[in-house]
mmCIF file of all heavy atoms in Angstrom:
data_model
loop_
_atom_site.group_PDB
_atom_site.id
_atom_site.type_symbol
_atom_site.label_atom_id
_atom_site.label_comp_id
_atom_site.label_asym_id
_atom_site.label_seq_id
_atom_site.Cartn_x
_atom_site.Cartn_y
_atom_site.Cartn_z
ATOM 1 N N SER B 1457 46.857 14.930 10.183
ATOM 2 C CA SER B 1457 47.056 13.686 9.431
ATOM 3 C C SER B 1457 46.346 12.582 10.191
ATOM 4 O O SER B 1457 46.223 12.655 11.417
ATOM 5 C CB SER B 1457 48.544 13.345 9.336
ATOM 6 O OG SER B 1457 49.170 14.108 8.360
ATOM 7 N N PRO B 1458 45.896 11.565 9.511
ATOM 8 C CA PRO B 1458 45.196 10.509 10.236
ATOM 9 C C PRO B 1458 46.127 9.726 11.153
ATOM 10 O O PRO B 1458 47.310 9.535 10.856
ATOM 11 C CB PRO B 1458 44.636 9.632 9.127
ATOM 12 C CG PRO B 1458 45.392 9.972 7.911
ATOM 13 C CD PRO B 1458 45.895 11.359 8.062
ATOM 14 N N GLU B 1459 45.543 9.323 12.266
ATOM 15 C CA GLU B 1459 46.203 8.457 13.242
ATOM 16 C C GLU B 1459 46.989 7.333 12.554
ATOM 17 O O GLU B 1459 48.150 7.079 12.888
ATOM 18 C CB GLU B 1459 45.059 7.861 14.070
ATOM 19 C CG GLU B 1459 45.422 7.256 15.369
ATOM 20 C CD GLU B 1459 44.193 6.603 16.010
ATOM 21 O OE1 GLU B 1459 43.085 6.637 15.401
ATOM 22 O OE2 GLU B 1459 44.333 6.057 17.099
ATOM 23 N N ALA B 1460 46.336 6.708 11.583
ATOM 24 C CA ALA B 1460 46.951 5.555 10.917
ATOM 25 C C ALA B 1460 48.284 5.899 10.267
ATOM 26 O O ALA B 1460 49.183 5.060 10.196
ATOM 27 C CB ALA B 1460 45.989 4.973 9.895
ATOM 28 N N SER B 1461 48.437 7.135 9.819
ATOM 29 C CA SER B 1461 49.708 7.535 9.199
ATOM 30 C C SER B 1461 50.840 7.523 10.217
ATOM 31 O O SER B 1461 51.982 7.199 9.883
ATOM 32 C CB SER B 1461 49.582 8.934 8.601
ATOM 33 O OG SER B 1461 48.674 8.924 7.526
ATOM 34 N N ILE B 1462 50.529 7.889 11.454
ATOM 35 C CA ILE B 1462 51.560 7.904 12.498
ATOM 36 C C ILE B 1462 51.989 6.475 12.816
ATOM 37 O O ILE B 1462 53.169 6.204 13.019
ATOM 38 C CB ILE B 1462 51.051 8.626 13.756
ATOM 39 C CG1 ILE B 1462 50.625 10.051 13.402
ATOM 40 C CG2 ILE B 1462 52.139 8.662 14.832
ATOM 41 C CD1 ILE B 1462 49.877 10.772 14.508
ATOM 42 N N TYR B 1463 51.017 5.581 12.795
ATOM 43 C CA TYR B 1463 51.336 4.167 13.041
ATOM 44 C C TYR B 1463 52.252 3.580 11.975
ATOM 45 O O TYR B 1463 52.832 2.521 12.180
ATOM 46 C CB TYR B 1463 50.049 3.334 13.145
ATOM 47 C CG TYR B 1463 49.410 3.405 14.517
ATOM 48 C CD1 TYR B 1463 48.293 4.200 14.743
ATOM 49 C CD2 TYR B 1463 49.944 2.696 15.590
ATOM 50 C CE1 TYR B 1463 47.713 4.272 16.012
ATOM 51 C CE2 TYR B 1463 49.372 2.760 16.844
ATOM 52 C CZ TYR B 1463 48.252 3.550 17.047
ATOM 53 O OH TYR B 1463 47.694 3.620 18.292
ATOM 54 N N ARG B 1464 52.372 4.231 10.854
ATOM 55 C CA ARG B 1464 53.317 3.752 9.846
ATOM 56 C C ARG B 1464 54.756 4.084 10.230
ATOM 57 O O ARG B 1464 55.691 3.476 9.732
ATOM 58 C CB ARG B 1464 52.984 4.340 8.486
ATOM 59 C CG ARG B 1464 51.830 3.619 7.844
ATOM 60 C CD ARG B 1464 51.745 3.905 6.357
ATOM 61 N NE ARG B 1464 50.341 3.838 5.973
ATOM 62 C CZ ARG B 1464 49.547 4.883 5.840
ATOM 63 N NH1 ARG B 1464 50.034 6.104 6.030
ATOM 64 N NH2 ARG B 1464 48.295 4.720 5.496
ATOM 65 N N TYR B 1465 54.931 5.032 11.145
ATOM 66 C CA TYR B 1465 56.277 5.396 11.605
ATOM 67 C C TYR B 1465 56.661 4.707 12.921
ATOM 68 O O TYR B 1465 57.791 4.270 13.087
ATOM 69 C CB TYR B 1465 56.377 6.915 11.769
ATOM 70 C CG TYR B 1465 56.487 7.626 10.453
ATOM 71 C CD1 TYR B 1465 55.357 7.941 9.704
ATOM 72 C CD2 TYR B 1465 57.735 7.941 9.922
ATOM 73 C CE1 TYR B 1465 55.459 8.565 8.475
ATOM 74 C CE2 TYR B 1465 57.855 8.571 8.701
ATOM 75 C CZ TYR B 1465 56.709 8.876 7.975
ATOM 76 O OH TYR B 1465 56.828 9.488 6.759
ATOM 77 N N PHE B 1466 55.685 4.669 13.836
ATOM 78 C CA PHE B 1466 55.979 4.052 15.140
ATOM 79 C C PHE B 1466 54.901 3.032 15.502
ATOM 80 O O PHE B 1466 53.717 3.288 15.347
ATOM 81 C CB PHE B 1466 56.041 5.134 16.235
ATOM 82 C CG PHE B 1466 57.173 6.100 16.052
ATOM 83 C CD1 PHE B 1466 56.945 7.349 15.482
ATOM 84 C CD2 PHE B 1466 58.469 5.760 16.419
ATOM 85 C CE1 PHE B 1466 57.987 8.243 15.289
ATOM 86 C CE2 PHE B 1466 59.514 6.646 16.235
ATOM 87 C CZ PHE B 1466 59.274 7.896 15.669
ATOM 88 N N GLU B 1467 55.354 1.903 15.999
ATOM 89 C CA GLU B 1467 54.427 0.832 16.358
ATOM 90 C C GLU B 1467 53.409 1.268 17.397
ATOM 91 O O GLU B 1467 52.256 0.864 17.366
ATOM 92 C CB GLU B 1467 55.222 -0.347 16.932
ATOM 93 C CG GLU B 1467 55.217 -1.575 16.060
ATOM 94 C CD GLU B 1467 55.952 -2.708 16.752
ATOM 95 O OE1 GLU B 1467 57.192 -2.788 16.615
ATOM 96 O OE2 GLU B 1467 55.288 -3.505 17.439
ATOM 97 N N ASN B 1468 53.854 2.069 18.359
ATOM 98 C CA ASN B 1468 52.970 2.525 19.431
ATOM 99 C C ASN B 1468 53.631 3.697 20.151
ATOM 100 O O ASN B 1468 54.786 4.031 19.887
ATOM 101 C CB ASN B 1468 52.674 1.383 20.413
ATOM 102 C CG ASN B 1468 53.944 0.680 20.839
ATOM 103 O OD1 ASN B 1468 54.863 1.307 21.338
ATOM 104 N ND2 ASN B 1468 54.020 -0.621 20.596
ATOM 105 N N LYS B 1469 52.912 4.299 21.064
ATOM 106 C CA LYS B 1469 53.451 5.500 21.704
ATOM 107 C C LYS B 1469 54.626 5.191 22.626
ATOM 108 O O LYS B 1469 55.484 6.039 22.840
ATOM 109 C CB LYS B 1469 52.342 6.280 22.432
ATOM 110 C CG LYS B 1469 51.817 5.692 23.711
ATOM 111 C CD LYS B 1469 50.865 6.701 24.403
ATOM 112 C CE LYS B 1469 50.418 6.228 25.761
ATOM 113 N NZ LYS B 1469 49.683 7.262 26.528
ATOM 114 N N HIS B 1470 54.663 3.991 23.145
ATOM 115 C CA HIS B 1470 55.802 3.605 23.969
ATOM 116 C C HIS B 1470 57.105 3.626 23.157
ATOM 117 O O HIS B 1470 58.121 4.159 23.605
ATOM 118 C CB HIS B 1470 55.564 2.221 24.576
ATOM 119 C CG HIS B 1470 56.651 1.770 25.492
ATOM 120 N ND1 HIS B 1470 57.503 0.738 25.186
ATOM 121 C CD2 HIS B 1470 57.047 2.238 26.688
ATOM 122 C CE1 HIS B 1470 58.375 0.591 26.181
ATOM 123 N NE2 HIS B 1470 58.108 1.476 27.100
ATOM 124 N N ASN B 1471 57.049 3.076 21.951
ATOM 125 C CA ASN B 1471 58.233 3.117 21.090
ATOM 126 C C ASN B 1471 58.597 4.542 20.681
ATOM 127 O O ASN B 1471 59.772 4.860 20.485
ATOM 128 C CB ASN B 1471 58.017 2.261 19.847
ATOM 129 C CG ASN B 1471 58.316 0.795 20.104
ATOM 130 O OD1 ASN B 1471 58.271 0.342 21.239
ATOM 131 N ND2 ASN B 1471 58.625 0.055 19.049
ATOM 132 N N PHE B 1472 57.595 5.373 20.560
ATOM 133 C CA PHE B 1472 57.858 6.779 20.258
ATOM 134 C C PHE B 1472 58.659 7.425 21.392
ATOM 135 O O PHE B 1472 59.642 8.132 21.162
ATOM 136 C CB PHE B 1472 56.534 7.524 20.041
ATOM 137 C CG PHE B 1472 56.687 8.959 19.620
ATOM 138 C CD1 PHE B 1472 57.449 9.304 18.515
ATOM 139 C CD2 PHE B 1472 56.054 9.972 20.331
ATOM 140 C CE1 PHE B 1472 57.586 10.639 18.124
ATOM 141 C CE2 PHE B 1472 56.189 11.302 19.951
ATOM 142 C CZ PHE B 1472 56.956 11.635 18.848
ATOM 143 N N LEU B 1473 58.270 7.129 22.630
ATOM 144 C CA LEU B 1473 59.007 7.663 23.777
ATOM 145 C C LEU B 1473 60.425 7.092 23.822
ATOM 146 O O LEU B 1473 61.387 7.822 24.105
ATOM 147 C CB LEU B 1473 58.258 7.339 25.077
ATOM 148 C CG LEU B 1473 58.798 7.991 26.352
ATOM 149 C CD1 LEU B 1473 58.738 9.510 26.284
ATOM 150 C CD2 LEU B 1473 58.028 7.503 27.580
ATOM 151 N N LEU B 1474 60.566 5.810 23.514
ATOM 152 C CA LEU B 1474 61.902 5.212 23.452
ATOM 153 C C LEU B 1474 62.758 5.929 22.414
ATOM 154 O O LEU B 1474 63.943 6.189 22.625
ATOM 155 C CB LEU B 1474 61.808 3.720 23.093
ATOM 156 C CG LEU B 1474 61.349 2.759 24.188
ATOM 157 C CD1 LEU B 1474 61.146 1.357 23.613
ATOM 158 C CD2 LEU B 1474 62.356 2.700 25.330
ATOM 159 N N TYR B 1475 62.141 6.236 21.284
ATOM 160 C CA TYR B 1475 62.852 6.948 20.226
ATOM 161 C C TYR B 1475 63.320 8.320 20.714
ATOM 162 O O TYR B 1475 64.485 8.690 20.538
ATOM 163 C CB TYR B 1475 61.942 7.100 19.002
ATOM 164 C CG TYR B 1475 62.552 7.898 17.877
ATOM 165 C CD1 TYR B 1475 63.344 7.286 16.906
ATOM 166 C CD2 TYR B 1475 62.357 9.280 17.790
ATOM 167 C CE1 TYR B 1475 63.914 8.027 15.885
ATOM 168 C CE2 TYR B 1475 62.933 10.026 16.771
ATOM 169 C CZ TYR B 1475 63.706 9.391 15.820
ATOM 170 O OH TYR B 1475 64.281 10.127 14.817
ATOM 171 N N LEU B 1476 62.428 9.067 21.332
ATOM 172 C CA LEU B 1476 62.801 10.397 21.836
ATOM 173 C C LEU B 1476 63.922 10.299 22.861
ATOM 174 O O LEU B 1476 64.860 11.095 22.869
ATOM 175 C CB LEU B 1476 61.593 11.104 22.457
ATOM 176 C CG LEU B 1476 60.443 11.471 21.518
ATOM 177 C CD1 LEU B 1476 59.349 12.202 22.281
ATOM 178 C CD2 LEU B 1476 60.923 12.323 20.344
#
Side-chain angles (χ1 to χ4, degrees):
Chain B
S1457 281
E1459 197 185 1
S1461 294
I1462 302 170
Y1463 278 103
R1464 281 197 211 98
Y1465 285 84
F1466 295 100
E1467 248 184 274
N1468 49 56
K1469 73 172 186 171
H1470 183 249
N1471 277 23
F1472 184 54
L1473 188 62
L1474 285 173
Y1475 176 87
L1476 295 182

